[in-house]
Amino acid sequence: MTELENVNPNVYKKSEDRKVTKADEDEDVVDPFDEREIFDLIRNINDPEHPLTLEELHVLEQSLITVDNEKNIVNILFTPTIPHCSMATLIGLSIRVKLLRALPPRFKVSVEINPGTHASEHAVNKQLTDKERVAAALENTHLMEVINQCIGMPLK
């Protein structure tokens, strides 16, 4: 990468941390996943171009997350900071990897661009929803190093 595409992105205030209740810590209470819990899992993913999180850039917002515990589905929409962001696929892969590592395997995770926010949204969404393309990307050692830097995890 030779230069930043979005030199001066808008930076937003982070959400308050969720208050943990006694029921949250009680292992005997059934605690289904909700949108806030999913948001908390991914909000601190680092942007690949800036020393900021996806939450601070409003790439991720809790309002763009849906969870259906009964059907085991998590849907994430993300909004690139600029309409021609070349990092959109990498950001989507980072979100997917973070959730695949954090959630029980029963969940089907869908990560797509928020409609109308990227010039190549259909092409990027096609890459992010194609299981074979995602699997091939995750076998690329260099790409996994970058993703692990974004999600804050060392390469194993």
Side-chain angles (χ1 to χ4, degrees):
M1 205 165 42
T2 57
E3 64 182 67
L4 296 176
E5 289 182 357
N6 187 3
V7 179
N8 294 310
N10 291 330
V11 180
Y12 300 87
K13 185 178 183 228
K14 294 181 87 170
S15 302
E16 296 288 324
D17 288 336
R18 179 160 80 167
K19 304 283 188 257
V20 178
T21 66
K22 288 187 181 204
D24 292 333
E25 295 177 337
D26 186 346
E27 296 296 325
D28 296 326
V29 174
V30 176
D31 183 22
F33 285 90
D34 63 14
E35 288 77 7
R36 179 57 195 245
E37 189 167 4
I38 300 301
F39 179 69
D40 285 344
L41 288 171
I42 59 178
R43 67 192 274 197
N44 291 316
I45 294 174
N46 296 308
D47 181 82
E49 288 189 311
H50 298 283
L52 299 164
T53 67
L54 297 183
E55 177 189 18
E56 290 171 312
L57 295 170
H58 269 206
V59 171
L60 288 172
E61 299 177 59
Q62 183 178 335
S63 63
L64 298 176
I65 298 170
T66 57
V67 178
D68 186 330
N69 278 282
E70 291 179 13
K71 294 181 180 175
N72 301 315
I73 296 172
V74 173
N75 292 314
I76 310 290
L77 294 176
F78 69 98
T79 307
T81 59
I82 53 176
H84 56 277
C85 176
S86 65
M87 298 289 147
T89 303
L90 177 61
I91 291 168
L93 283 171
S94 297
I95 296 166
R96 177 180 288 286
V97 167
K98 179 72 175 191
L99 290 175
L100 291 176
R101 289 180 181 174
L103 292 176
R106 68 182 172 94
F107 281 102
K108 179 182 185 299
V109 175
S110 169
V111 178
E112 294 184 338
I113 290 181
N114 193 10
T117 63
H118 193 277
S120 302
E121 84 181 64
H122 297 294
V124 173
N125 286 344
K126 185 175 180 178
Q127 288 180 314
L128 292 174
T129 57
D130 185 321
K131 290 180 184 180
E132 291 177 7
R133 286 185 185 193
V134 170
L138 301 183
E139 289 177 5
N140 180 311
T141 306
H142 174 69
L143 185 56
M144 281 310 299
E145 287 175 6
V146 175
I147 289 171
N148 284 328
Q149 286 176 350
C150 290
I151 63 176
M153 299 183 76
L155 185 61
K156 293 182 178 181

